[in-house]
Amino acid sequence: MFLGLREMLYSKLRYILVTGIMVLIMLLSLILSGLANGLAYDNASAVSDNGVPYYAIAKDAQGKVSRSLFDENELDSVKEDKTVKDAAVLGQSMQTLKRESDEKKFSIAFFAIQPGTFLDPKISSGKGLEVTKPDEIVVDSSLKKEGIKLGDVLMDDMLNKELTIVGFTENKKYSHAPVVYINMPTWQSINPVLYHQKIPQVSAIAIQPKNETVSLSNNNLSVLTQAEFLDQIPGYSAEQMTLNMMIYFLIVIGGFILTAFFYVMTLQKTTQFGILKALGTKSSYIAASVITQVITISIISIIISVGVTLLLPNVLPEAMPFRISNFTIGLYSVIFFVVALVGSLLSMWKINKVDALDAIRGGDE
């Protein structure tokens, strides 16, 4: 054990370089994880944070809410289902609004709801929607950066209907666009797709189940879990799969680098190990010294990487979404540590094979 630490102190530059490489790999893994989580949250926070476990959409929509439209009256049959505790209609569309004062345009995601249901957003400033005031809207607070404030009037791009901002809500994004909550009848009247519909249409029905699962008897609708609802959001799955694949490869690459480094070091020190064995040193003691080096480098790399990662939210620009939980940091740290230990097994095998006489003579098994 102390043999390994003494060697690290003696060959400081060599071990500082390999520690630096491991820090960069670990740090890049954590940064990518934070960006993956940040992008996921920026893409779907309006859905992931609303506490709705199930959604019913049109059966012919092929699992896509953007293709789903069905009669609002289907809500009654869903509420009567024995597996449903409560349900509320939801309308969703991507549209453009322009500010009345200067005609500046904003790309937004409409979430049409019936005020007074469990889909009501939590208000951070102002007030919520009211059934008796259909021309009022609640918007995501990210629009404040665009100069939007309470009392501003936004107009839709279909009928130029005036919509007054009465409230702000926090962290409500959908498909990377700020969400605007609007009364269902108003949304139905200004949505271009629904403009000529005679019967009121909705995109989905949010469901609170009585138990853990929902199984609707309504043959016109299919049920999506929250995870399935998230996956159908444009770009959501592709972003997550790409970044997660990069993270996994980085961890594996880090393991290979550490394995190669210590294996080459073991080969270079075969003669020294042979002399130690000839003097009566056990293979287990030599192996313990190498394990100590691996553990020391891994722990230092993890501590530095985690420390830098925790500081990143304070220096990254707001346009770069970055979110990482303590659980994720802990998980990646453990995985990184385990991969490093597994990689050291090759060096352990080589140390065990070293023959004292052959090593002193200069042979190499």
Side-chain angles (χ1 to χ4, degrees):
M1 177 177 175
F2 295 107
L3 177 65
L5 294 177
R6 285 198 296 268
E7 183 187 1
M8 290 180 69
L9 291 173
Y10 180 78
S11 305
K12 290 187 284 290
L13 181 59
R14 177 185 297 174
Y15 287 95
I16 287 174
L17 289 175
V18 74
T19 302
I21 293 172
M22 301 312 295
V23 167
L24 292 175
I25 292 175
M26 177 67 178
L27 183 59
L28 186 54
S29 299
L30 290 173
I31 290 174
L32 285 175
S33 179
L35 290 175
N37 292 331
L39 284 170
Y41 193 75
D42 188 71
N43 202 355
S45 56
V47 176
S48 60
D49 283 354
N50 66 3
V52 178
Y54 293 96
Y55 296 85
I57 66 172
K59 201 157 194 174
D60 60 358
Q62 299 175 320
K64 301 291 185 182
V65 176
S66 58
R67 302 172 186 167
S68 175
L69 281 177
F70 55 91
D71 292 351
E72 188 176 345
N73 296 330
E74 299 285 3
L75 176 65
D76 296 331
S77 67
V78 171
K79 281 188 172 182
E80 292 171 359
D81 196 280
K82 61 182 180 180
T83 62
V84 175
K85 179 181 178 181
D86 197 6
V89 289
L90 173 68
Q92 196 284 312
S93 63
M94 308 300 294
Q95 289 181 236
T96 300
L97 297 179
K98 60 183 178 182
R99 187 160 48 193
E100 185 182 45
S101 59
D102 57 7
E103 295 196 349
K104 183 178 180 179
K105 294 185 177 181
F106 307 92
S107 296
I108 59 92
F110 265 134
F111 269 38
I113 62 173
Q114 294 285 13
T117 67
F118 57 82
L119 289 179
D120 275 340
K122 184 178 180 180
I123 304 301
S124 59
S125 62
K127 65 174 186 175
L129 298 178
E130 299 178 29
V131 176
T132 57
K133 298 179 179 179
D135 297 338
E136 295 180 343
I137 54 176
V138 171
V139 305
D140 180 65
S141 60
S142 62
L143 285 172
K144 290 181 179 180
K145 301 170 187 174
E146 304 290 337
I148 292 292
K149 59 186 183 297
L150 289 175
D152 279 356
V153 176
L154 304 180
M155 298 184 296
D156 75 286
D157 56 358
M158 181 68 179
L159 301 175
N160 285 329
K161 188 174 184 63
E162 296 183 351
L163 305 169
T164 304
I165 298 174
V166 296
F168 284 102
T169 184
E170 299 289 334
N171 300 320
K172 299 298 181 184
K173 294 285 192 71
Y174 186 87
S175 195
H176 297 299
V179 168
V180 171
Y181 289 89
I182 187 172
N183 267 274
M184 180 64 73
T186 307
W187 175 75
Q188 290 167 338
S189 68
I190 65 175
N191 191 315
V193 178
L194 304 179
Y195 188 63
H196 297 292
Q197 296 285 343
K198 295 181 180 179
I199 301 176
Q201 305 279 299
V202 297
S203 302
I205 296 176
I207 299 173
Q208 296 286 3
K210 284 184 178 178
N211 301 310
E212 294 183 359
T213 59
V214 169
S215 179
L216 296 181
S217 56
N218 190 324
N219 294 325
N220 297 324
L221 304 175
S222 60
V223 177
L224 300 180
T225 63
Q226 187 186 71
E228 291 170 336
F229 194 97
L230 291 172
D231 284 340
Q232 62 80 40
I233 298 174
Y236 184 89
S237 296
E239 286 177 356
Q240 297 307 298
M241 289 176 63
T242 301
L243 291 172
N244 286 331
M245 186 64 69
M246 294 171 66
I247 293 168
Y248 302 148
F249 271 108
L250 276 172
I251 292 175
V252 172
I253 290 169
F256 273 112
I257 290 175
L258 202 57
T259 299
F261 173 80
F262 280 102
Y263 186 69
V264 170
M265 290 280 290
T266 301
L267 292 178
Q268 292 175 342
K269 295 183 290 184
T270 300
T271 301
Q272 292 93 317
F273 289 154
I275 294 172
L276 287 172
K277 282 190 174 184
L279 294 173
T281 306
K282 294 181 180 180
S283 295
S284 59
Y285 180 82
I286 300 173
S289 68
V290 175
I291 287 289
T292 300
Q293 292 175 344
V294 173
I295 292 175
T296 303
I297 289 175
S298 299
I299 291 176
I300 293 174
S301 301
I302 290 171
I303 291 174
I304 296 174
S305 302
V306 170
V308 174
T309 300
L310 294 176
L311 293 175
L312 280 177
N314 300 321
V315 298
L316 288 176
E318 292 184 5
M320 184 180 292
F322 186 89
R323 291 175 65 91
I324 191 164
S325 64
N326 292 332
F327 173 79
T328 302
I329 291 175
L331 177 63
Y332 278 78
S333 298
V334 170
I335 292 175
F336 186 83
F337 186 75
V338 170
V339 168
L341 286 180
V342 172
S344 68
L345 293 178
L346 186 60
S347 296
M348 303 302 101
W349 171 79
K350 184 61 182 176
I351 290 171
N352 190 57
K353 281 189 64 180
V354 171
D355 180 84
L357 186 58
D358 287 340
I360 294 172
R361 289 174 176 173
D364 189 11
E365 295 281 338

